[in-house]
């Protein structure tokens, strides 16, 4: 069992201006699990082993639009697993509590030789996860493809701009 991380990057400005999800979402994962040259696409296809844990985290492409005092934020709010939930099991949402590094203060001037002081704080990067499970005991090397749908809420400040969705793929392989 391995933990496979997938990053979902949402162009919130495009969504705010009426773009469809498939034009405003890019998904990224480790190159060794990518299928069909899909890195960076909204239809990211990944190949994982049976019992791998997949974790998806969502990020805004731009945190704060130019000239605005409000921040964009995105969060995965729902999922739908196709094919009668045969391959992706135990969907769960987590706060993502972890230690992160931040700058000691805001607007620190940078120069050629000086390092900017940093500190460690508790931060959160929410994620959802599911476990890849092949039903029964297929022959070694057998693989199955499953589509799933994500719904992601896109916020600007405290206002919900839009909820978007799309359908990527996971290929689960029996080791």
């Amino acid at each position: 069992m391995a933990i496979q991380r997938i990053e979902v990057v949402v162009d919130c400005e495009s969504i705010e201006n009426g773009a469809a999800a498939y034009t405003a979402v890019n998904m990224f994962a480790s190159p060794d699990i990518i299928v069909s040259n899909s890195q960076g696409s909204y239809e990211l296809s990944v190949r994982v082993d049976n019992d791998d844990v997949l974790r998806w985290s969502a990020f805004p492409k731009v945190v704060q639009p130019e000239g605005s005092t409000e921040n964009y934020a995105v969060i995965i709010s729902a999922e739908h697993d196709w094919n009668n939930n045969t391959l992706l099991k135990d969907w769960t949402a987590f706060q993502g509590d972890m230690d992160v590094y931040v700058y000691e203060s805001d607007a620190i001037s940078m120069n050629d030789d000086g390092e900017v002081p940093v500190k460690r704080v508790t931060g959160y990067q929410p994620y959802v996860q599911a476990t890849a499970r092949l039903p029964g005991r297929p022959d070694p090397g057998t693989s199955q493809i499953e589509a799933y749908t994500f719904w992601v809420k896109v916020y600007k400040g405290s206002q919900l701009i839009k909820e978007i969705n799309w359908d990527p793929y996971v290929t689960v392989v029996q080791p």
Side-chain angles (χ1 to χ4, degrees), residues 73-137:
V74 294
I75 192 162
I76 298 169
S77 57
E79 60 78 25
H80 173 71
D81 195 17
W82 297 86
N83 302 334
N84 298 318
N85 298 323
T86 57
L87 299 181
L88 299 174
K89 298 289 189 181
D90 305 322
W91 285 91
T92 314
F94 291 89
Q95 294 287 9
D97 182 15
M98 67 184 124
D99 287 335
V100 296
Y101 288 90
V102 297
Y103 299 114
E104 284 186 356
S105 61
D106 208 11
I108 299 173
S109 180
M110 296 181 77
N111 59 45
D112 286 341
D113 300 320
E115 290 186 11
V116 178
V118 297
K119 63 181 177 180
R120 218 168 138 176
V121 298
T122 299
Y124 296 91
Q125 180 52 60
Y127 62 88
V128 296
Q129 78 176 32
T131 304
R133 302 273 183 183
L134 283 170
R137 299 183 62 83

Side-chain angles (χ1 to χ4, degrees), residues 1 22 35 43 78 90 94 111 127 138 162 173:
M1 177 197 90
Y22 71 89
V35 177
E43 286 287 3
D90 305 322
F94 291 89
N111 59 45
Y127 62 88
K162 191 171 184 179
V173 179

Side-chain angles (χ1 to χ4, degrees), residues 1-7 27 29 33 44-57 76 87-94 127-133 146 148 150 168-173:
M1 177 197 90
I3 295 175
Q4 307 292 349
R5 291 175 175 81
I6 301 169
E7 295 184 354
M27 298 175 71
I33 66 168
L44 180 75
S45 294
V46 296
R47 181 182 180 109
V48 299
D49 289 334
N50 195 30
D51 292 328
D52 278 2
V53 173
L54 289 84
R55 289 185 177 167
W56 293 264
S57 297
I76 298 169
L87 299 181
L88 299 174
K89 298 289 189 181
D90 305 322
W91 285 91
T92 314
F94 291 89
Y127 62 88
V128 296
Q129 78 176 32
T131 304
R133 302 273 183 183
E146 175 132 346
Y148 59 97
F150 270 150
Y169 300 90
V170 170
T171 301
V172 182
V173 179

